[in-house]
Amino acid sequence: MPSDTRILIVDDHEDTLYALESALAPLGYQLSRATSGDEALKQVLRGQVGLLLLDVRMPGVSGLEVVRYMRRVEQTQHIPVILLTGFGADHELTTTAFGLGVADLVLKPVDPWALRTKVRYLYDAHRRHLALEREVRRLRALTGEHTETAAHPRPGLLHPDARVPTQRPMGAHAGELEKDRT
């Protein structure tokens, strides 16, 4: 994950944003903030968000609506989300949140130690996941090059295994090869 990837904290109350930033500051990750669902979506779509802490109930676009939209967009569907609620977790909210693939639902006021542990785990796991995806793409590109080379070998190159016969040069006909054997 690029070094400029950050954790986005979204809440419509300034004091909550400050408290969450203070709780996460010891982790040393880059933090940014948004005060609405619309602003959060804009930042997420611009990229470089590795984790989202998102208030459920906000005026305008709610936290659940943000998550619903993120899950429909390929570039944002795997970003881990921790939903925050100050109204208690009811069965419907919990079912909906986890159905959307939310990583956790945390009740306010937030325990800073527990939040740091969850954030560190999810952020680092997401970073490792992205690094593995990059490595898979790199290996597939190398494998694609190797497969392409094997399908069209260059004349004069010998196979590393000496028991494998030299391949026919491009354009050589079977008749010409027969003459060479006699």
Side-chain angles (χ1 to χ4, degrees):
M1 191 177 311
S3 61
D4 58 346
T5 300
R6 63 195 185 284
I7 296 170
L8 179 59
I9 304 169
V10 186
D11 199 292
D12 57 321
H13 297 285
E14 193 68 31
D15 55 339
T16 303
L17 287 171
Y18 178 76
L20 292 169
E21 287 172 333
S22 297
L24 297 177
L27 295 176
Y29 300 135
Q30 287 187 14
L31 304 174
S32 63
R33 57 167 52 194
T35 56
S36 70
D38 285 330
E39 188 182 344
L41 279 173
K42 288 176 187 173
Q43 287 193 43
V44 167
L45 290 171
R46 281 188 210 118
Q48 305 309 322
V49 172
L51 177 73
L52 190 62
L53 265 75
L54 181 63
D55 187 24
V56 174
R57 291 184 177 98
M58 294 182 289
V61 179
S62 75
L64 287 173
E65 290 170 313
V66 170
V67 177
R68 278 188 191 98
Y69 184 82
M70 287 174 60
R71 296 308 182 227
R72 290 191 308 253
V73 177
E74 186 177 347
Q75 77 186 57
T76 63
Q77 61 188 206
H78 297 294
I79 296 173
V81 176
I82 296 175
L83 280 179
L84 305 168
T85 183
F87 295 99
D90 59 52
H91 179 72
E92 183 180 337
L93 172 61
T94 304
T95 303
T96 302
F98 288 117
L100 290 170
V102 167
D104 203 357
L105 181 62
V106 176
L107 300 177
K108 297 178 194 175
V110 175
D111 174 2
W113 289 98
L115 183 64
R116 280 193 292 269
T117 300
K118 291 173 186 191
V119 164
R120 183 184 311 117
Y121 174 79
L122 290 169
Y123 185 77
D124 290 346
H126 184 64
R127 190 174 71 220
R128 284 190 304 274
H129 173 78
L130 292 178
L132 284 172
E133 281 183 345
R134 280 192 307 274
E135 183 65 11
V136 165
R137 282 193 302 272
R138 186 186 72 78
L139 290 172
R140 283 186 177 149
L142 287 173
T143 304
E145 290 171 12
H146 177 71
T147 305
E148 202 173 282
T149 303
H152 305 290
R154 289 185 239 151
L157 291 180
L158 298 175
H159 193 281
D161 184 347
R163 296 172 290 180
V164 175
T166 306
Q167 295 188 358
R168 173 172 42 154
M170 299 289 246
H173 300 302
E176 292 174 9
L177 291 177
E178 289 300 317
K179 286 188 242 174
D180 289 344
R181 280 194 222 166
T182 55

